[in-house]
Amino acid sequence: MNEESSYWIAFSVFPGIGPVRFRLLREYFGTVKASWSATVSDLSKTGLGDKLVASFDKFRHEFDISGYQKKLEDLKVTALTLDDPRYPKRLHEISDAPIVLYVLGHGTKINLEKTIAIVGTRNVTPYGREVTKTITKELVNAGYTIVSGLAYGVDTVAHQTAIDEGGKTIAVLGCGIDISAPASNARLYRDIINGHGAIVSEMPLGLRPDKGLFVTRNRIISGLSRGIVVTEGAFDSGALITARFAAEQGRDVFAVPGPITSAYSKGTAKLLKNGAKLVESASDIIEEL
């Protein structure tokens, strides 16, 4: 890893500077190293604000870059910066692409040209489980890589079905990549990195799951994918947030209709009313793409 990349990684650990502010600093100072090493006075001129500059100055004097890199190496985590040619091209296109994408498993060897996200409710019903399995199986057999969030419910069904069908799957975490969350999916987490795909995250090592982080990670799920399928979800389901990101990113949004008597069909019904493409089988998705 070159010296410049090490500063990218250091910035990815600091919570106050995300993709937008990072881009501002890089453009202002010319390089990431120069941004990291800039004086407090020069940092203030970028408009970051005195509190943020003070917080960053304290962080950079205390942060052990080489020690953090050693942890990544020990865990066999690959850190892909936006400048790395291995960084997923489709994700690179979004306006707030992660500064660094942490990868565990075989992410750099997966065909990212044919990726579909499958998401939905954590409280999956028997109907939702059945349609998620069916559509995932059909997509995998058509050569697609399945992207989801490793959460309970639909996400778990999608990942597991992809593995059972001999396909590849990518799990995007809302926490540090070294944390298996939820704990009940620890085996699935291990199966994915041991030959069945990749775990990815933009979060630094050790960061615990948080509701706000799940919202942030949803843009990565859609950003990695050609399209997103919501198989089941309530009216206020987090899957609808992922669908919104997908629409903003220019991705296709697909939704599976469900029983009108089920609260967990309200979200997909909302998407269909707002222009999502109706899906009864994977062929509806494949034809559209």
Side-chain angles (χ1 to χ4, degrees):
M1 182 176 295
N2 61 47
E3 185 182 31
E4 182 75 355
S5 295
S6 68
Y7 290 106
W8 284 74
I9 292 171
F11 266 111
S12 76
V13 180
F14 179 65
I17 296 178
V20 176
R21 284 172 170 160
F22 176 81
R23 185 167 61 245
L24 180 153
L25 288 173
R26 193 182 178 201
E27 291 173 353
Y28 188 91
F29 292 107
T31 67
V32 179
K33 180 182 179 181
S35 303
W36 180 268
S37 307
T39 65
V40 168
S41 175
D42 284 342
L43 286 168
S44 296
K45 293 175 184 176
T46 65
L48 288 181
D50 292 342
K51 286 186 178 180
L52 182 57
V53 169
S55 178
F56 172 67
D57 187 47
K58 182 175 184 294
F59 171 83
R60 66 179 173 177
H61 282 97
E62 296 175 350
F63 183 64
D64 179 6
I65 295 179
S66 59
Y68 187 79
Q69 287 180 282
K70 180 64 166 56
K71 289 181 182 178
L72 293 175
E73 291 171 6
D74 291 345
L75 293 168
K76 298 182 180 178
V77 174
T78 301
L80 302 178
T81 70
L82 273 168
D83 277 1
D84 193 312
R86 298 171 297 170
Y87 193 98
K89 293 180 181 178
R90 190 170 285 113
L91 183 61
H92 199 290
E93 295 170 357
I94 71 173
S95 60
D96 52 355
I99 297 168
V100 172
L101 190 69
Y102 294 106
V103 182
L104 254 179
H106 301 275
T108 58
K109 298 179 181 178
I110 294 174
N111 178 9
L112 296 176
E113 291 303 309
K114 296 179 71 174
T115 47
I116 293 288
I118 299 180
V119 296
T121 179
R122 286 171 167 78
N123 301 308
V124 65
T125 67
Y127 169 80
R129 184 178 298 278
E130 181 181 356
V131 297
T132 301
K133 279 186 174 182
T134 299
I135 291 171
T136 302
K137 179 178 179 179
E138 292 170 347
L139 286 170
V140 167
N141 290 332
Y144 283 87
T145 296
I146 305 302
V147 182
S148 199
L150 202 69
Y152 297 115
V154 167
D155 291 16
T156 297
V157 175
H159 288 305
Q160 189 62 59
T161 303
I163 291 173
D164 292 343
E165 291 300 313
K168 299 295 183 184
T169 186
I170 299 172
V172 185
L173 303 187
C175 58
I177 199 167
D178 55 329
I179 297 172
S180 174
S184 60
N185 272 347
R187 181 177 177 180
L188 180 56
Y189 175 101
R190 291 193 300 271
D191 287 345
I192 292 173
I193 63 177
N194 291 326
H196 295 288
I199 305 288
V200 304
S201 178
E202 69 174 328
M203 312 300 174
L205 296 177
L207 187 63
R208 302 298 305 177
D210 179 81
K211 185 176 181 180
L213 298 180
F214 288 117
V215 173
T216 301
R217 72 91 193 264
N218 287 350
R219 81 188 196 288
I220 301 176
I221 293 176
S222 55
L224 282 167
S225 309
R226 291 182 64 184
I228 173 177
V229 187
V230 182
T231 57
E232 187 176 48
F235 194 80
D236 59 350
S237 172
L240 271 64
I241 297 174
T242 313
R244 189 187 75 231
F245 280 127
E248 291 171 352
Q249 294 165 354
R251 312 302 195 237
D252 287 302
V253 178
F254 303 91
V256 178
I260 62 173
T261 54
S262 171
Y264 295 107
S265 297
K266 301 299 183 184
T268 53
K270 179 181 179 180
L271 290 174
L272 291 168
K273 289 176 182 178
N274 290 336
K277 299 170 180 65
L278 188 148
V279 173
E280 293 179 302
S281 70
S283 61
D284 296 322
I285 300 166
I286 295 167
E287 288 174 11
E288 185 66 31
L289 296 176

